[in-house]
Amino acid sequence: MSKPFFGDIKPVKYEGPKSDNPYAFRHYDPKKVVMGKTMAEHLRPAVCYWHNFAWLGTDMFGAPTFERPWDGETMKGARAKADAAFEMFSTLGFPFFAFHDRDVVPEGAGLAEFGRNLDEMTDIFAKKMEATGVKLLWGTANLFSHPRYMSGAATNPDPDVFAYAAAQVKNAIDATHKLGGANYVLWGGREGYETLLNTDLRREQEQLGRFLSLVVDYKHKIGFKGVILVEPKPQEPTKHQYDFDVATVFGFLQRFGLEREVKLNIEVGHAVLAHHSFEHEVALATSLGMLGSVDANRNDYQSGWDTDQFPNNAPELVPALYFILKQGGIAPGGFNFDSKVRRQSIDPGDLLLGHIGGIDACAAALVAAAHLIEDGKFDAARDERYAGWDKREAQAMLKKGATLEEIAARVAKEKIEPKPKSGRQEFYENLLNRYL
């Protein structure tokens, strides 16, 4: 671009909680050590390409509101977009970014031209990454925007669409691999149904399972060391999606023998749409050994769709950070800000402000969660609640070979009469709030 997109805004630095500078971090100090790692190592923040540079402020009721100099389906525009993107990455100092193939280049007249465009941009990205030190958290293919995917990609009733999607994913994985991406994400935006009247559930899920297996096979064939991630979402754009939530996806992966090959990328907004909390999805994923990465955002609780707002409520994030820390961290995943400024936020600087507030909220939650763990009272109380299971006779009930008859006989012999014990929910809530 002929001039900086963000004007004279200086690189964002940490200035502490008392700073009045809107373009400064108040809680996120990349070099601050928390539980043996820096904040940057814990959070591994990433800027998403799509909301920041591909979305023009449209909604279903209105035209674009953002002025983006790179607007238009040309490679010249794509190169200008890349200039602005890496200007933003450097200004924020975030170590990672993420993209869909269609975010970064025009599709062109067909798959061959699309592939050439992506190859050219991959080379451009490689040079910019070397110059700035910014890395790729993950890449993915957009298998939902084009009309060909209106009935799904892998789950489409037309096998030619399945084949086209497979070729598109191959190109996207190749680009991700070439750029040293830490992960590759599959989000089935339209892998679901609008009505069961025209849907063969068994057939479509078999197709989706086979598609995932092909992706895993190709990863190993080319030597891609990154993690394959699936991103659960219950609805929108389809009425019902096969990757509904963590539990559903885990069962699906087990069905096709992929639970050791694929992990999950969990988005806050998608958890809310599934009528779960973010911490529920994170806790379940960590308990199953399936948490790979996080899309950091929030939903408007008064709206029934995915609003992709920047996170701004640190207390809501503390339980999720607690579970992430307890599993030893999130690397090679990270906190990708799958968030967009509001349609009325038309100044370039608003893009920076959203990320500054979002990473500050995550950093404050990280510190609180670390204090919660280091103090030990919270974990001690949880351990005490389950202490009875440490006894020999309790452990024996869980071992293979135990029988209902033996357990019933022990209850009769020892005259076991359990008394209800308080779950102390208020105690746990109050204890957590001490660390905010």
Side-chain angles (χ1 to χ4, degrees):
M1 296 176 66
S2 59
K3 60 180 180 178
F5 179 66
F6 294 96
D8 59 359
I9 298 175
K10 300 292 190 296
V12 181
K13 303 294 184 183
Y14 172 73
E15 294 184 6
K18 295 182 179 180
S19 175
D20 287 329
N21 179 5
Y23 292 103
F25 300 124
R26 301 177 75 249
H27 299 285
Y28 175 62
D29 180 353
K31 297 180 180 180
K32 180 178 180 179
V33 176
V34 177
M35 290 184 64
K37 297 179 184 177
T38 65
M39 281 190 169
E41 291 171 325
H42 274 297
L43 297 174
R44 294 169 59 84
V47 177
C48 81
Y49 220 90
W50 49 101
H51 289 320
N52 293 289
F53 307 104
W55 184 54
L56 301 178
T58 56
D59 65 18
M60 64 187 75
F61 301 109
T65 58
F66 301 152
E67 290 186 10
R68 301 292 188 247
W70 51 83
D71 186 18
E73 290 289 296
T74 66
M75 282 304 292
K76 179 180 179 182
R79 289 187 286 270
K81 187 192 299 185
D83 290 342
F86 276 84
E87 179 191 344
M88 181 179 180
F89 306 156
S90 297
T91 301
L92 283 170
F94 280 18
F96 295 99
F97 74 107
F99 69 89
H100 300 78
D101 50 7
R102 277 295 282 116
D103 301 331
V104 299
V105 293
E107 187 162 354
L111 188 65
E113 184 177 351
F114 192 4
R116 289 193 296 272
N117 290 343
L118 188 58
D119 285 342
E120 179 182 337
M121 186 52 62
T122 300
D123 292 339
I124 292 171
F125 276 178
K127 292 177 182 177
K128 289 181 176 294
M129 291 167 66
E130 184 177 3
T132 61
V134 177
K135 298 180 176 64
L136 180 61
L137 186 65
W138 51 259
T140 188
N142 179 330
L143 303 181
F144 50 89
S145 292
H146 194 280
R148 76 172 65 89
Y149 297 127
M150 67 179 183
S151 299
T155 59
N156 201 289
D158 183 348
D160 286 346
V161 175
F162 181 104
Y164 196 103
Q168 188 178 333
V169 167
K170 175 189 176 298
N171 290 343
I173 293 178
D174 287 342
T176 302
H177 182 36
K178 185 174 181 179
L179 294 171
N183 310 269
Y184 182 84
V185 169
L186 291 148
W187 177 60
R190 297 190 190 275
E191 309 295 13
Y193 63 81
E194 299 292 347
T195 174
L196 284 172
L197 298 179
N198 67 359
T199 302
D200 186 331
L201 287 174
R202 181 199 60 78
R203 183 188 293 272
E204 291 197 359
Q205 292 186 68
E206 289 288 339
Q207 289 174 205
L208 183 56
R210 184 62 190 134
F211 195 96
L212 284 174
S213 296
L214 289 167
V215 171
V216 169
D217 290 345
Y218 187 67
K219 164 196 165 169
H220 291 303
K221 185 174 184 179
I222 65 174
F224 176 54
K225 302 301 182 184
V227 180
I228 301 296
L229 302 172
V230 167
E231 183 172 324
K233 188 178 184 181
Q235 59 189 25
E236 193 209 48
T238 58
K239 174 183 176 181
H240 178 93
Q241 292 178 203
Y242 299 131
D243 50 0
F244 189 90
D245 60 5
V246 167
T248 305
V249 175
F250 182 64
F252 183 88
L253 293 173
Q254 283 188 312
R255 173 181 169 186
F256 293 98
L258 296 169
E259 71 274 15
R260 296 182 184 275
E261 296 281 2
V262 178
K263 290 185 181 292
L264 303 180
N265 183 57
I266 299 174
E267 179 175 319
V268 180
H270 295 177
V272 172
L273 286 179
H275 300 288
H276 299 313
S277 64
F278 179 47
E279 62 264 27
H280 165 84
E281 292 287 84
V282 169
L284 182 56
T286 58
S287 73
L288 297 170
M290 296 298 291
L291 180 61
S293 196
V294 164
D295 273 4
N297 57 23
R298 64 184 169 93
N299 267 16
D300 185 326
Y301 294 123
Q302 294 174 307
S303 297
W305 59 88
D306 194 0
T307 55
D308 288 321
Q309 295 172 250
F310 282 93
N312 68 354
N313 190 330
E316 281 193 345
L317 296 171
V318 173
L321 264 300
Y322 166 83
F323 291 114
I324 288 171
L325 289 175
K326 290 292 286 186
Q327 81 155 13
I330 201 168
F335 276 69
N336 169 56
F337 284 88
D338 186 358
S339 311
K340 58 188 177 188
V341 295
R342 298 303 87 193
R343 190 165 174 265
Q344 300 174 50
S345 299
I346 62 175
D347 294 338
D350 294 329
L351 291 169
L352 300 173
L353 294 174
H355 289 83
I356 291 167
I359 192 63
D360 266 348
C362 292
L366 171 69
V367 171
H371 288 167
L372 187 70
I373 293 170
E374 290 172 332
D375 181 69
K377 293 185 177 67
F378 188 79
D379 283 341
R382 282 161 54 94
D383 290 343
E384 182 182 356
R385 188 170 185 228
Y386 293 91
W389 282 100
D390 294 330
K391 296 179 180 179
R392 179 182 57 79
E393 57 271 23
Q395 286 290 305
M397 291 191 293
L398 301 179
K399 292 181 179 179
K400 190 174 182 179
T403 67
L404 286 179
E405 307 97 281
E406 292 172 344
I407 294 171
R410 185 172 69 85
V411 171
K413 179 180 179 181
E414 299 179 14
K415 298 180 180 180
I416 295 175
E417 292 289 344
K419 299 295 188 297
K421 298 178 182 178
S422 174
R424 304 177 74 198
Q425 179 173 333
E426 294 74 20
F427 167 82
Y428 289 98
E429 291 170 342
N430 293 348
L431 185 59
L432 184 147
N433 282 337
R434 294 181 192 175
Y435 300 91
L436 302 179

